[in-house]
Amino acid sequence: MVYFVGAGAGDPELLTIKGKRLIDQADVIIYAGSLVNPAVLQDVKPDCRIYDSAGMTLEEVLAVMEQAEQEGKATVRVHTGDPSLYGAIREQIDALDERGISHAVVPGVSSFLAAAAALEKEYTLPDVTQTVILTRMEGRTAVPAAEQIESLAKHQATMILFLSVGQIEELVRRLCTSYPADTPAAVVYKASWPEQKIVTGTLETIAEKVKAAGITKTALVAVGRFLGDAYTLSRLYDKTFTHGYRQGSEA
């Protein structure tokens, strides 16, 4: 069996209980060394074979998994954050299916959730936005034409951009085709890591502030009015609002 485990955003205490158990009991671990905090592996078995996939090809990763399966070993493939976001697990799962190797996915705490916690903000505020867009700018990996930043920006929803801080000036230019220049923005570098850093501003100022902070990678860009102070109180706890668990009262 091969388990794909989300290692969380960085803080090893953000591992799920299930993910922690599987990592600690694994016979073979393949982890993304360029992104996963090594502290996540601090309690592995002494005889566990550990491979850093940062310099490996897909074929090499699969070869390790296949060998471990032949030896009856339990393999854990550790991905940063949650494997379903920019994790490239689909190609691994399909290849395992072709080889008849069983697999399972264990979710993790994504960096976009750790970033919200670091900012102490709520992405979905009443009368501000009820939509969160997770996306990225194109780089060496293309983005579908219908998902260009300019198209997504038209919604003026909460937008979280992965893998884009290195192009912050171009990103801001494209966001400003629809978002007003005074829209709040924040950059969270290594959310939940000890070296976490937060830069806040507006679309008009954020690029300059990010460059001054020396942030070029391993950071999320968050944009939207959810970062502001204007919103409507939720009806969930409104004393006049009736639902299945509470009868409302007059204002």
Side-chain angles (χ1 to χ4, degrees):
M1 173 73 83
V2 175
Y3 291 94
F4 294 88
V5 173
D11 182 350
E13 291 187 334
L14 291 180
L15 268 172
T16 64
I17 295 173
K18 185 173 185 177
K20 169 71 171 169
R21 174 176 59 80
L22 289 170
I23 289 172
D24 292 351
Q25 296 176 357
D27 299 308
V28 176
I29 288 176
I30 309 169
Y31 80 111
S34 60
L35 297 170
V36 173
N37 188 343
V40 168
L41 310 181
Q42 62 189 354
D43 296 320
V44 300
K45 297 192 301 186
D47 59 346
C48 178
R49 300 202 303 261
I50 301 176
Y51 299 84
D52 182 352
S53 64
M56 298 171 69
T57 65
L58 174 61
E59 291 74 18
E60 289 169 337
V61 168
L62 292 170
V64 171
M65 293 177 176
E66 196 165 14
Q67 180 180 350
E69 186 70 11
Q70 291 170 355
E71 296 172 356
K73 304 292 187 181
T75 301
V76 173
R77 177 69 164 111
V78 183
H79 283 270
T80 186
D82 181 89
S84 68
L85 289 172
Y86 307 108
I89 64 168
R90 175 64 185 272
E91 59 195 33
Q92 297 174 71
I93 289 172
D94 287 349
L96 292 177
D97 284 340
E98 292 172 1
R99 291 162 171 77
I101 298 175
S102 299
H103 46 76
V105 180
V106 178
V109 177
S110 172
S111 58
F112 89 91
L113 300 171
L119 293 166
E120 297 190 2
K121 298 294 184 182
E122 182 179 351
Y123 287 143
T124 52
L125 287 174
D127 290 334
V128 176
T129 181
Q130 295 291 289
T131 300
V132 182
I133 298 174
L134 306 179
T135 190
R136 60 166 296 175
M137 281 186 64
E138 68 272 15
R140 296 178 68 183
T141 299
V143 171
E147 298 177 11
Q148 295 297 308
I149 298 300
E150 292 87 345
S151 295
L152 299 177
K154 291 178 181 178
H155 300 286
Q156 294 192 32
T158 295
M159 191 182 296
I160 312 300
L161 296 116
F162 290 72
L163 307 166
S164 303
V165 74
Q167 305 176 71
I168 189 67
E169 290 179 324
E170 174 67 7
L171 173 61
V172 166
R173 184 190 69 76
R174 296 173 68 177
L175 287 169
C176 283
T177 57
S178 289
Y179 286 97
D182 66 351
T183 302
V187 168
V188 183
Y189 170 78
K190 285 199 167 185
S192 85
W193 291 64
E195 57 266 45
Q196 173 184 288
K197 187 182 299 184
I198 298 173
V199 177
T200 60
T202 66
L203 286 179
E204 190 171 30
T205 64
I206 196 68
E208 183 178 343
K209 289 184 174 183
V210 166
K211 290 177 66 177
I215 299 173
T216 59
K217 60 181 180 179
T218 327
L220 291 181
V221 182
V223 180
R225 295 291 178 188
F226 79 94
L227 288 164
D229 298 321
Y231 64 95
T232 301
L233 295 180
S234 169
R235 299 186 70 189
L236 181 62
Y237 302 109
D238 185 336
K239 65 181 181 181
T240 66
F241 186 64
T242 297
H243 56 68
Y245 295 92
R246 188 186 68 232
Q247 292 300 309
S249 60
E250 293 185 3

